[in-house]
């Protein structure tokens, strides 16, 4: 299957780090790994992407396994506004192949 | 910049009717995309375009048509609406395909009865 595999849901406490896992064992060498999130009734929002090396930006960090078969999105301090569905996506030739995502809930 | 805009926000169609979903971006992006999202599911790519005059099929193109006559606009046409096309439709654009951020519009919620 060309799609990625993520847990259906995860819970976090506010101000704690969150590690969202993703398996993509069949990813090809040229496919990027993208993460988007979607708040209720909104379009998806870009979070981060990478190919082989770990990546950091103002929103999150992306840790990619050396064999590229898995990756982890890290939110360093979860806030209530981070509650959303997080999609780990394989970018294939310019196209994003969405899976079902992980619904993250954040408790105060 | 308005980013990616979509019209209408909501629409109810009867089976067999036709309509065009409009999408416009003001970021001078070459790449544009149409996705649909069924309840509780991830997005599925319908069609995409790498520039004016060039379009290609995605995962679920049946029942839809697109055209790209300008860089800014990428309309999606439903010719004979069916209940299976009830969904939320998102348009997106990006400067570089696959490697850069895609910017999504707010979506069009379509119901076919």
């Amino acid at each position: 299957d060309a799609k990625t595999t993520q847990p259906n849901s995860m819970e976090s406490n506010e101000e704690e780090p969150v590690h969202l896992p993703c398996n993509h064992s069949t990813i090809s060498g040229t496919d990027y790994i993208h993460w988007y999130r979607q708040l209720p009734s909104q379009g998806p929002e870009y979070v981060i992407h990478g190919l082989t090396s770990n990546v950091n930006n103002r929103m999150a960090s992306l840790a990619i396994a050396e064999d590229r078969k898995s990756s982890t999105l890290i939110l360093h301090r979860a806030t209530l506004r981070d509650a959303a569905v997080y999609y780990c996506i394989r970018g294939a030739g310019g196209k994003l192949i969405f899976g079902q995502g992980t619904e993250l809930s954040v408790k105060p | 910049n308005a980013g990616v805009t979509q019209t209408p926000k909501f629409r109810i169609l009867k089976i067999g009717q036709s309509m065009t979903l409009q999408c416009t971006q003001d970021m001078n992006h070459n790449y544009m995309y149409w996705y649909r999202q069924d309840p509780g599911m991830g997005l599925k790519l319908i069609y995409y375009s790498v520039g004016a005059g060039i379009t290609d099929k995605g995962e679920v193109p049946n029942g839809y048509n697109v055209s790209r006559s300008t860089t800014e606009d990428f309309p999606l046409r439903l010719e004979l609406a069916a209940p299976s096309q009830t969904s939320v439709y998102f348009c997106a654009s990006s400067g570089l395909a696959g490697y850069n951020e895609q910017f999504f519009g707010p979506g069009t919620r379509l119901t076919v009865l």
Side-chain angles (χ1 to χ4, degrees):
Chain A
D1 191 336
K3 294 185 178 176
T4 58
T5 304
Q6 301 175 251
N8 287 334
S9 62
M10 291 184 64
E11 272 190 357
S12 172
N13 294 317
E14 195 175 13
E15 297 190 5
E16 290 186 355
V18 182
H19 290 233
L20 297 165
C22 179
N23 286 320
H24 31 78
S25 56
T26 60
I27 195 169
S28 77
T30 56
D31 289 348
Y32 279 71
I33 300 152
H34 301 255
W35 283 82
Y36 282 73
R37 71 181 186 182
Q38 187 175 26
L39 279 65
S41 300
Q42 294 188 24
E45 173 189 30
Y46 170 82
V47 177
I48 200 166
H49 77 284
L51 184 61
T52 56
S53 304
N54 294 345
V55 184
N56 300 296
N57 67 21
R58 63 174 180 82
M59 288 183 71
S61 296
L62 175 60
I64 301 172
E66 199 169 329
D67 62 8
R68 292 198 356 113
K69 292 185 177 182
S70 65
S71 62
T72 302
L73 178 71
I74 303 164
L75 307 179
H76 296 286
R77 288 185 66 205
T79 70
L80 297 178
R81 288 177 296 178
D82 290 324
V85 177
Y86 285 79
Y87 293 101
C88 169
I89 300 163
R90 183 174 70 89
K95 295 176 281 189
L96 299 182
I97 311 298
F98 281 76
Q100 290 194 243
T102 296
E103 184 170 9
L104 175 67
S105 57
V106 180
K107 296 186 290 185
Chain B
N1 284 352
V4 179
T5 57
Q6 294 183 238
T7 57
K9 286 187 170 54
F10 303 94
R11 184 72 185 268
I12 298 175
L13 284 182
K14 294 182 179 178
I15 294 171
Q17 286 186 319
S18 301
M19 77 164 295
T20 299
L21 281 67
Q22 302 291 346
C23 175
T24 300
Q25 54 91 10
D26 62 0
M27 296 172 283
N28 201 32
H29 284 167
N30 285 329
Y31 296 89
M32 295 188 74
Y33 311 83
W34 273 107
Y35 297 88
R36 60 175 287 173
Q37 185 174 32
D38 299 331
M41 306 293 287
L43 281 69
K44 293 183 179 179
L45 183 64
I46 304 172
Y47 271 96
Y48 67 103
S49 169
V50 301
I54 306 170
T55 62
D56 206 350
K57 297 177 180 179
E59 298 175 82
V60 289
N62 291 345
Y64 306 95
N65 281 302
V66 293
S67 60
R68 183 97 181 270
S69 55
T70 67
T71 299
E72 295 77 22
D73 300 306
F74 190 38
L76 178 71
R77 178 84 178 160
L78 283 72
E79 291 293 349
L80 292 170
S84 61
Q85 293 177 305
T86 295
S87 191
V88 180
Y89 291 83
F90 291 101
C91 179
S93 73
S94 72
L96 290 172
Y99 311 110
N100 273 31
E101 175 180 0
Q102 287 191 18
F103 295 83
F104 284 80
T108 294
R109 186 175 296 274
L110 175 67
T111 302
V112 182
L113 300 174

